[in-house]
Amino acid sequence: ATTVMIVSFVNAGLLSLVESIGVIMGANIGTTITAWLISLLGFKVKIASIALPIIAIGFPMMFSSKSNIKSWAEVLIGFALLFMGLDALKGAVPNLGPEELNFLKSYADMGTISLLIFIGVGTILTLVVQSSSAAMALTLVMCYEGYIPFELAAAMVLGENIGTTITANLAALVGNVHAKRAARAHLIFNIFGVIWMIFA
C-alpha cells in the first residue's frame, strides 16, 4: 500500500524521485513488522476492515463549507478506498496453503540450486497472492511445520522481497516517467539487496 501511494505521489508531483526512494526504503523496513507480529502473536492486523468506518467519518466531512475539512475528507476516503482496493485484489487470487506447496520438500537438498529455486518460489508466490504479508505468513507456517529448513525459508523471504515490488510496478504502468522510475527503483533496490544477501 505504501509503495502504491508513493508512486501516486510521484506521479502527481508531490514527491521527487529521490524523496520517494527514501520512503520506499523505509517501507521495506516497516513491512518486516508484519512478520514479527505473525511470529510473536500469531495474527496480523487487517487495515482493510476499518476502511468502511473511515469512509463513514470522511463522507459527512465532504459537505463542509471549509476547504481544509474537505481536504481531510478526501484524504480519509482516498486511504480507505486504497485499502479496500488492495484487499479486493488479494481476495481475488487463489488461497494457497502449506499443503499445496508440500511438493517443494523434494527440492530442499540440492545445495545452491535449492537456494535459487526457493528465491524464485518466493517471488512467484508473492506475485500470485499479491501480498508479501500473506506470502511471509505462508513461509513461516511451512518452516514451523518442518516442510522446509530455515535456510530455504530465508531464501523464500528474499524472493518475496522481489515479488512485492509488482504492486508498485503495476500502479506505475499508468503513471508518468517519474512514477515508473520510482517503481523501478524499488525493484532494483530489492534485487540488489537479495544479490548481496546471497553472496554475504
Side-chain angles (χ1 to χ4, degrees):
T2 306
T3 51
V4 169
M5 286 189 290
I6 296 308
V7 167
S8 303
F9 291 161
V10 174
N11 191 46
L14 298 172
L15 283 177
S16 69
L17 180 62
V18 174
E19 290 166 344
S20 70
I21 291 170
V23 179
I24 285 168
M25 288 178 181
N28 272 348
I29 297 167
T31 195
T32 61
I33 300 298
T34 309
W36 282 106
L37 280 175
I38 296 166
S39 61
L40 295 173
L41 305 174
F43 68 91
K44 57 190 173 103
V45 178
K46 283 192 73 177
I47 198 157
S49 60
I50 61 167
L52 283 176
I54 291 173
I55 290 175
I57 293 166
F59 187 70
M61 293 166 63
M62 290 288 289
F63 299 102
S64 173
S65 57
K66 295 181 181 176
S67 60
N68 192 28
I69 293 174
K70 260 190 174 178
S71 298
W72 275 109
E74 289 171 3
V75 168
L76 287 172
I77 292 172
F79 270 108
L81 291 176
L82 174 70
F83 289 122
M84 286 175 73
L86 287 172
D87 195 55
L89 185 65
K90 291 172 192 173
V93 297
N95 189 19
L96 293 171
E99 296 79 18
E100 284 85 358
L101 299 173
N102 195 22
F103 72 94
L104 292 172
K105 283 200 285 190
S106 56
Y107 300 100
D109 53 355
M110 297 165 66
T112 308
I113 295 170
S114 288
L115 194 70
L116 297 174
I117 288 171
F118 277 82
I119 288 172
V121 167
T123 304
I124 294 165
L125 183 64
T126 313
L127 291 173
V128 170
V129 299
Q130 285 289 306
S131 167
S132 58
S133 300
M136 172 65 76
L138 194 55
T139 305
L140 290 173
V141 170
M142 288 175 68
C143 188
Y144 178 76
E145 296 290 338
Y147 291 125
I148 54 173
F150 166 75
E151 292 78 13
L152 297 182
M156 279 184 73
V157 170
L158 291 176
E160 288 157 14
N161 260 342
I162 297 171
T164 194
T165 63
I166 186 65
T167 316
N169 280 283
L170 286 174
L173 287 177
V174 293
N176 59 25
V177 65
H178 301 297
K180 287 182 173 72
R181 283 177 181 166
R184 285 193 200 116
H186 185 209
L187 175 63
I188 291 165
F189 176 74
N190 284 15
I191 287 173
F192 271 101
V194 169
I195 292 169
W196 177 67
M197 284 304 297
I198 290 170
F199 290 105

